[in-house]
């Protein structure tokens, strides 16, 4: 195992029905001015907005609304939030939503004097509430990239709050979790350490429970398993002793800057295509993933690795995610060249790829 330092600063409240108690208790710890941050409309539609405002009023808080945070949040939106937080002297930012709301607020909460942040997760998948990274789009520069903000003080993960998420988003969110696991698993070292073994279990759990929830959206057990898997993907435990490599994410983020596409859908198209290119350099670890996660085995290591990628692609099709850009309405080859030319190139989980190779990959899945 490589050397590591680990500290996890977020208080997690997890479980079906934990939302009201947990929020009530947390609110007592903060001052009067609360900035309530949320997305584009689901919070009001589902009635959660009214429930939260009532709880804030009961706790004697003054509430400032910061709504309209869009999927793939923009730098402009972050700046709007920062100004509002300053003007209203926010004592707490309460971010209620999926990864986009959480990401936006992690940067809003930064500043000369950071503002405490609490996240109520309403859509799982990114695990954003577990880390201090945020993925923000600078629309003018056409760059979607990582920024570093604050860690949340607390995060509330109540699977009941995710019951209104459209199934399409449940699926792309869960695939995002699987992607985080794979991008971590294939990082160095390739010797299988304890983090990798836990990672295999998380991947198997995502696959099983995603199938279960598609078959039965009322499956509360599967829903809560997916929510905790999402947290496990990003709380750092799978990354201990690993150098992770998020090349698939880097490509997808830039695609997001150009097309505003859904994160999990973009990843679904990219993963198998990238891994086919890395078959040779990464066959040892890809073969282990094939056996341990997908339970497939060929005669040679290379064959096993290839069967694993086939199984991943078959799963993507089975759960209704795209495997080609055309399925997402993306047809512009020149735009794909621009994505390849502007995405961040990582050192590589198995070997580094060139911009030309990334363009080839993007064209292969048109
Ligand atoms: O905006 P509203 O109306 O609230 O609707 C949202 C949005 O349209 C909806 N939604 C959320 N909770 C709901 C709900 N609809 C009904 N009922 C609920 N309870 O879901 C849609 C998607 O929400 P969003 O937050 O955009 O999705 P997700 O959680 O997948 O977040 C995606 C963003 O996170 C970034 C992505 O790049 C993308 O910008 N990521 C952040 C990461 C991090 N900080 O660690 C890691 C990831 O790799 C990822 O890059
Ligand atoms: Zn992701």
């Amino acid at each position: 195992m490589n050397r590591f330092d680990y500290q996890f600063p977020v208080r997690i409240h997890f479980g079906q029905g934990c939302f009201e108690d947990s929020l009530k208790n947390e609110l007592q710890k903060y001052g009067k001015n609360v900035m309530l941050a949320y997305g584009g409309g689901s919070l009001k539609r589902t009635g959660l907005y009214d429930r939260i405002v009532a709880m804030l009023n009961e706790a004697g808080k003054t509430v400032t609304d910061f709504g309209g945070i869009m999927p793939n949040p923009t730098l402009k939106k972050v700046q709007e939030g920062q100004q509002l937080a300053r003007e209203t002297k926010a004592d707490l930012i309460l971010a209620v939503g999926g990864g986009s709301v959480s990401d936006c607020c992690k940067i809003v909460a930064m500043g000369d004097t950071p503002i405490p942040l609490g996240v109520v997760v309403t859509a799982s998948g990114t695990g954003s509430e577990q880390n201090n990274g945020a993925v923000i789009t600078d629309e003018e520069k056409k760059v979607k990239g990582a920024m570093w903000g604050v860690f949340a003080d607390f995060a509330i993960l109540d699977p009941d709050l995710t019951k209104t998420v459209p199934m399409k988003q449940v699926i792309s969110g869960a695939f995002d979790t699987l992607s985080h696991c794979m991008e971590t698993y294939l990082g160095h070292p390739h010797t299988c350490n304890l983090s990798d073994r836990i990672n295999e279990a998380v991947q198997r759990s995502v696959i099983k429970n995603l199938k279960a929830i598609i078959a039965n959206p009322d499956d509360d057990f599967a829903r809560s398993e997916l929510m905790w898997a999402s947290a496990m993907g990003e709380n750092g435990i799978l990354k201990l002793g690993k150098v992770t490599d998020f090349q698939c994410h880097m490509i997808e983020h830039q695609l997001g800057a150009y097309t505003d596409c859904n994160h999990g859908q973009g990843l679904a198209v990219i993963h198998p295509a990238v891994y086919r290119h890395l078959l040779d350099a990464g066959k040892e670890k890809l073969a282990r993933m094939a056996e341990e996660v997908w339970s497939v085995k060929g005669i040679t290591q290379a064959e096993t690795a290839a069967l694993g990628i086939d199984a991943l692609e078959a799963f993507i099709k089975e759960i209704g995610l795209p495997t080609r850009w055309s399925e997402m309405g993306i047809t512009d080859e020149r735009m794909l060249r621009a994505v390849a030319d502007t995405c961040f190139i990582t050192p590589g989980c198995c070997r580094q790829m060139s911009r030309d190779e990334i363009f080839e990959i993007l064209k292969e899945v048109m």
Side-chain angles (χ1 to χ4, degrees):
M1 191 68 136
N2 288 348
R3 176 186 163 163
F4 62 81
D5 303 300
Y6 181 64
Q7 184 186 0
F8 187 67
V10 189
R11 285 191 299 280
I12 302 291
H13 306 283
F14 179 90
Q16 204 174 357
C18 79
F19 160 65
E20 288 211 3
D21 283 359
S22 308
L23 184 58
K24 229 175 245 171
N25 289 337
E26 286 291 354
L27 286 177
Q28 291 171 11
K29 300 174 189 162
Y30 300 92
K32 201 171 159 48
N33 295 332
V34 177
M35 185 162 112
L36 175 58
Y38 53 95
S42 74
L43 200 70
K44 289 193 173 164
R45 273 199 311 278
T46 60
L48 187 56
Y49 177 86
D50 289 340
R51 280 170 74 193
I52 293 179
V53 169
M55 285 172 72
L56 289 168
N57 288 337
E58 200 178 308
K61 308 290 183 189
T62 305
V63 184
T64 301
D65 247 36
F66 175 46
I69 301 171
M70 62 294 278
N72 301 330
T74 63
L75 194 56
K76 252 195 202 129
K77 195 68 192 171
V78 169
Q79 287 158 348
E80 181 192 324
Q82 282 170 335
Q83 196 181 340
L84 196 60
R86 257 197 311 270
E87 281 169 9
T88 59
K89 297 193 169 49
D91 297 308
L92 171 72
I93 297 175
L94 188 62
V96 188
S100 295
V101 174
S102 164
D103 275 9
C104 179
C105 290
K106 282 189 273 185
I107 307 302
V108 170
M110 281 280 282
D112 303 336
T113 326
I115 303 166
L117 170 69
V119 180
V120 178
V121 181
T122 66
S124 67
T126 65
S128 162
E129 76 285 354
Q130 308 278 324
N131 60 45
N132 67 338
V135 190
I136 304 295
T137 302
D138 184 333
E139 286 177 303
E140 275 161 32
K141 292 191 179 141
K142 274 215 177 307
V143 177
K144 183 177 177 186
M147 294 175 80
W148 304 106
V150 301
F151 275 97
D153 265 20
F154 66 89
I156 299 175
L157 289 80
D158 182 340
D160 275 352
L161 302 187
T162 70
K163 284 186 172 170
T164 48
V165 178
M167 187 49 77
K168 218 172 158 184
Q169 177 61 34
V170 171
I171 294 167
S172 69
F175 189 80
D176 186 24
T177 302
L178 191 65
S179 165
H180 297 161
C181 293
M182 290 189 283
E183 303 234 58
T184 301
Y185 188 79
L186 291 168
H188 290 285
H190 284 175
T191 326
C192 197
N193 64 19
L194 179 60
S195 300
D196 289 335
R197 290 178 189 273
I198 301 170
N199 189 322
E200 288 161 359
V202 179
Q203 289 192 54
R204 283 198 301 269
S205 176
V206 172
I207 293 159
K208 179 168 177 280
N209 289 297
L210 183 50
K211 286 183 186 177
I213 206 164
I214 292 171
N216 174 16
D218 294 329
D219 187 335
D220 288 345
F221 177 77
R223 187 174 289 281
S224 69
E225 290 281 293
L226 288 174
M227 194 170 213
W228 188 240
S230 159
M232 282 295 290
E234 280 300 318
N235 64 11
I237 289 176
L238 305 184
K239 299 177 183 179
L240 297 179
K242 301 279 296 180
V243 179
T244 63
D245 188 280
F246 271 57
Q247 185 64 75
C248 293
H249 265 71
M250 295 303 111
I251 300 171
E252 195 290 327
H253 285 164
Q254 240 352 59
L255 190 82
Y258 278 87
T259 65
D260 199 26
C261 67
N262 176 280
H263 179 57
Q265 288 181 11
L267 289 168
V269 178
I270 291 166
H271 266 278
V274 165
Y275 291 162
R276 288 209 168 93
H277 273 247
L278 297 177
L279 249 182
D280 200 34
K283 62 174 174 288
E284 190 188 337
K285 204 63 191 282
L286 283 164
R288 185 176 165 103
M289 189 160 79
E291 283 191 59
E292 297 299 326
V293 176
W294 298 104
S295 306
V296 291
K297 191 168 167 51
I299 294 165
T300 63
Q301 197 175 55
E303 220 177 275
T304 302
L307 285 173
I309 300 168
D310 291 346
L312 170 65
E313 190 172 53
F315 174 68
I316 290 168
K317 286 185 178 153
E318 181 188 337
I319 60 178
L321 281 173
T323 53
R324 305 224 150 239
W325 299 131
S326 52
E327 292 170 64
M328 294 170 65
I330 296 171
T331 52
D332 182 355
E333 197 174 306
R334 273 178 38 219
M335 184 273 294
L336 294 178
R337 178 77 239 186
V339 168
D341 284 344
T342 53
C343 72
F344 185 78
I345 306 272
T346 67
C349 60
C350 308
R351 67 172 167 77
Q352 194 168 47
M353 290 189 297
S354 68
R355 295 200 182 281
D356 283 346
E357 186 176 13
I358 291 173
F359 180 47
E360 283 308 311
I361 290 170
L362 293 175
K363 274 197 305 184
E364 279 165 20
V365 284
M366 280 190 84

